[in-house]
Amino acid sequence: MAELVDSASHMAQPQGRPGVNLGRWIAAAGRRHSLPILLLLLLGFVAPLLTIIGFSFMPPRTFSLWQWPSLENYRVIIEETFYTSFLWSLGMAVVTVAILIAICYPVAYGLAKTFGRWSNLVTLLMVLPLFVSENVRLYGWVLFFIKGGVLLGTIKSLFGIELDSILFKPGTIIFGMVYVYLPFMLFPMTLGVSMVPRDLVDAAKDLGASRLQIFREVELPLAMPGIVIGSLLTFVLAVGAIAEAKVLGGQSVIPVTHDIEIAFTYAQNWPLGAGISVMLILIVGALVLAVLRRFDLDRILGRR
Amino acid sequence: MTIEGGKRRSDLLIAAWTVAVVLFIYMPAFCGLLASLTSSRYFNFPITKWGLAWWGKTFASLEVRSLLSTSITIALIVTAISVVLAFFAALAFARYDWRGRSIYQKIVLLPIFFPQSVLGLALLLWFNALGIETSWKTAVFAHLVWVVPVATLVISIQVYSFDPALEEAAFDLGASRWQVLKEVTLPVLWPGIFSGALFSFLLSWGNFPLSLYTDGADTTVPEYMYAKMVAGYTPGVPVLGTVSTVGAAILLLGGYAFILLVRRKRAASESAA
């Protein structure tokens, strides 16, 4: 932020004639072109965040921002059992990320290295579900798993066995999150795997490395930025997920997003909901910033 | 010989795994389609009474029509605004070297790496603090906060492959900034801008958590379906789900075919010239 302010102060410098001082023009153009989106994010992202932080310091059950600040909400959050929903949310997100890494790596490898001209089609097939509301897709799984649904109905008509539905269990929530967030892991990972130069793999092979050694010592480290970005993205989305627990989990587990929603709607306690939100933002935000700091985005997104 | 054989086998395994993943991805859409084709009130598999009755009922419903028009209106406005904002944002992201750019890049990414339901609530409190009543218009603003960064990223990927020497050459030949933008930058970036627009429309169309908190009394299609899933099931839900899946597929495949066509045409005219 300091650098941003610092660079903004250079804006007023007199500009050279275009063509003569292209470098300076480019620097000014960069700043100028970034202004609209920065304004949008200031009004639509920074200001709402400040508002929710402000509300978290208001006394319980108030709807105005102009009261004497108090730490009451944070006391309630720490003393009551909200930590269980935090742990459920974080734990389910970690498991989701781990499963997604295992599922997506072979596909990412295929997309980047072995599918050739088919990889466009496969990419398209994988992108498409992103554009259908996740509710709809989760509901499809309800129809699949429900008693008398596609899975149990088929088993019953084929084998005559009646099984219990596996809906409304924590495992089903994780299943739903793995399903919904799969593309968010796959695409960054593909980007990462495609950054592994083929020559390097060939060289390792010529030097007598086994397939496992090549994977562990050449491919994995070089693909790491993509894998980490994908993991980060899916982790954040999974922590913030709300529909999976409701549609597939049937309230068998209460994730932290549900606590937040309850505080805002049924309990009509905005400051408490704001407090829980701020705790969630702090956990997620610290993680995102810590990870993003380590990466050179220009390199990952294509400019070397 | 053995290495070649082993390689082919692992390639096949990867391909088989990918086919399995694709089938997994489309399973719920398939179940939804099945559920929409039954004429009984509750879904039971295997289906005994097939029929299209619920398709007719769903489209005759005035409520559904107003939902569709609200969702489409929001998505169209979001697309128009976000393409313009994201175009400039992407140039600042990937084209120009300027001090502060690496911080700027991270600021732009933050809303994408942020729990959307929390963002929706924060926006609701912010609108409330400003005394703005929420409606589909505030939902447009909320969608923009999330869609513009994504569109910026999509367009940026195209900008990264853009050769800055093209712009510089045009300047040296005496073109004005406006001419450079109109005749060099825009045409080269056109496929990226088009993909950005497609993403914007579809992401706004499918968004649930932001709409839920920020559109007040107006309702979008994803919200309606969610409400009906949690309470008061009707086979209209799978119908709308199928429509929304097929609609997205047509838009995406059509858009992709269009980009390919433009590329091929350009390649042909370049080789002719």
Side-chain angles (χ1 to χ4, degrees):
Chain A
M1 212 59 190
E3 196 180 327
L4 203 71
V5 175
D6 182 35
S7 57
S9 66
H10 290 268
M11 273 175 81
Q13 281 183 3
Q15 292 189 5
R17 278 173 293 138
V20 175
N21 202 338
L22 200 64
R24 187 172 291 174
W25 178 78
I26 283 172
R31 261 175 239 128
R32 193 152 29 84
H33 287 66
S34 72
L35 280 183
I37 190 174
L38 288 177
L39 189 69
L40 171 76
L41 295 183
L42 189 70
L43 285 175
F45 188 70
V46 178
L49 281 192
L50 293 178
T51 315
I52 206 166
I53 292 171
F55 257 108
S56 75
F57 289 107
M58 291 297 109
R61 289 174 211 286
T62 45
F63 296 95
S64 139
L65 263 176
W66 309 110
Q67 321 265 336
W68 197 252
S70 88
L71 284 171
E72 178 62 16
N73 302 303
Y74 290 101
R75 193 187 63 76
V76 171
I77 293 167
I78 290 167
E79 283 182 2
E80 285 186 23
T81 56
F82 287 105
Y83 66 90
T84 51
S85 50
F86 267 107
L87 288 180
W88 268 114
S89 286
L90 296 172
M92 290 196 300
V94 168
V95 175
T96 303
V97 169
I99 296 174
L100 276 175
I101 290 177
I103 292 183
C104 290
Y105 193 84
V107 183
Y109 189 88
L111 281 174
K113 304 284 178 197
T114 65
F115 292 165
R117 48 201 293 260
W118 286 97
S119 73
N120 274 337
L121 180 71
V122 177
T123 307
L124 217 59
L125 283 173
M126 300 276 188
V127 174
L128 179 59
L130 278 180
F131 303 122
V132 180
S133 186
E134 63 177 68
N135 299 335
V136 176
R137 291 181 284 143
L138 290 175
Y139 201 72
W141 283 117
V142 173
L143 296 169
F144 182 78
F145 282 126
I146 207 167
K147 222 173 164 62
V150 175
L151 177 66
L152 297 178
T154 308
I155 291 177
K156 197 184 163 193
S157 66
L158 285 182
F159 307 109
I161 319 168
E162 226 168 312
L163 296 169
D164 269 341
S165 167
I166 61 155
L167 267 182
F168 311 139
K169 303 222 159 54
T172 326
I173 304 178
I174 293 174
F175 178 92
M177 298 208 285
V178 166
Y179 172 72
V180 167
Y181 302 124
L182 194 144
F184 295 96
M185 177 65 87
L186 182 64
F187 294 122
M189 208 180 219
T190 308
L191 226 64
V193 176
S194 65
M195 280 166 70
V196 181
R198 178 146 277 178
D199 304 353
L200 224 54
V201 176
D202 290 342
K205 208 178 284 170
D206 290 346
L207 292 170
S210 71
R211 190 71 199 87
L212 191 68
Q213 276 178 314
I214 295 175
F215 172 72
R216 262 198 4 224
E217 288 167 35
V218 181
E219 287 175 347
L220 205 56
L222 286 170
M224 224 14 143
I227 299 175
V228 173
I229 295 261
S231 304
L232 184 68
L233 192 55
T234 41
F235 178 82
V236 170
L237 291 168
V239 167
I242 188 160
E244 288 81 1
K246 277 199 171 167
V247 177
L248 289 176
Q251 319 275 315
S252 62
V253 170
I254 307 291
V256 67
T257 44
H258 190 253
D259 275 342
I260 295 174
E261 199 197 321
I262 292 286
F264 273 104
T265 53
Y266 302 109
Q268 290 286 307
N269 194 346
W270 288 15
L272 179 67
I276 311 174
S277 305
V278 170
M279 307 271 281
L280 184 65
I281 293 167
L282 283 179
I283 295 172
V284 172
L287 190 76
V288 171
L289 286 177
V291 173
L292 280 186
R293 265 183 65 180
R294 292 165 176 269
F295 288 107
D296 181 355
L297 292 166
D298 285 333
R299 227 174 77 77
I300 294 171
L301 287 169
R303 191 196 267 188
R304 266 153 284 275
Chain B
M1 198 59 184
T2 48
I3 291 177
E4 273 307 300
K7 192 174 160 3
R8 187 159 306 154
R9 206 175 57 218
S10 75
D11 283 3
L12 270 177
L13 273 176
I14 290 175
W17 180 250
T18 305
V19 170
V21 171
V22 169
L23 289 179
F24 169 64
I25 284 181
Y26 286 92
M27 193 61 186
F30 175 68
C31 295
L33 176 68
L34 283 179
S36 74
L37 292 176
T38 163
S39 61
S40 52
R41 178 80 173 75
Y42 290 99
F43 179 60
N44 240 319
F45 197 79
I47 294 168
T48 44
K49 284 185 283 178
W50 297 83
L52 283 169
W54 283 102
W55 282 76
K57 271 183 212 165
T58 305
F59 282 100
S61 147
L62 280 177
E63 193 187 7
V64 168
R65 286 186 190 182
S66 102
L67 292 171
L68 287 170
S69 86
T70 308
S71 276
I72 292 175
T73 310
I74 294 176
L76 282 177
I77 298 175
V78 167
T79 305
I81 300 175
S82 59
V83 164
V84 177
L85 289 185
F87 171 70
F88 292 111
L91 287 178
F93 196 100
R95 159 72 181 89
Y96 300 118
D97 273 313
W98 49 292
R99 282 186 58 189
R101 181 171 70 138
S102 77
I103 293 176
Y104 161 77
Q105 288 177 326
K106 274 149 204 156
I107 294 174
V108 168
L109 290 182
L110 274 184
I112 307 177
F113 289 84
F114 198 84
Q116 276 186 59
S117 48
V118 176
L119 181 60
L121 269 173
L123 277 159
L124 175 63
L125 295 187
W126 168 236
F127 291 138
N128 178 71
L130 291 177
I132 298 172
E133 200 175 322
T134 51
S135 68
W136 66 268
K137 291 173 197 149
T138 44
V140 166
F141 182 74
H143 284 196
L144 283 174
V145 175
W146 182 64
V147 169
V148 173
V150 178
T152 302
L153 217 55
V154 172
I155 299 176
S156 290
I157 290 169
Q158 183 88 34
V159 179
Y160 274 117
S161 63
F162 173 79
D163 184 2
L166 286 175
E167 270 186 353
E168 280 150 29
F171 274 127
D172 289 346
L173 293 170
S176 72
R177 280 173 199 174
W178 175 240
Q179 277 175 314
V180 170
L181 182 72
K182 210 178 70 178
E183 286 171 32
V184 180
T185 317
L186 267 177
V188 174
L189 297 182
W190 166 232
I193 296 169
F194 187 76
S195 326
L198 211 59
F199 265 79
S200 306
F201 183 87
L202 291 167
L203 288 175
S204 169
W205 167 260
N207 183 281
F208 169 64
L210 292 172
S211 308
L212 177 66
Y213 293 114
T214 57
D215 66 3
D218 297 321
T219 309
T220 63
V221 174
E223 267 182 282
Y224 169 82
M225 288 194 279
Y226 181 72
K228 288 287 175 191
M229 278 173 213
V230 176
Y233 172 78
T234 121
V237 172
V239 171
L240 271 177
T242 306
V243 169
S244 146
T245 310
V246 173
I250 292 172
L251 257 178
L252 199 68
L253 293 175
Y256 180 67
F258 184 69
I259 290 180
L260 280 188
L261 204 75
V262 168
R263 284 217 185 117
R264 194 163 297 169
K265 229 176 179 177
R266 189 181 289 171
S269 71
E270 264 164 24
S271 63

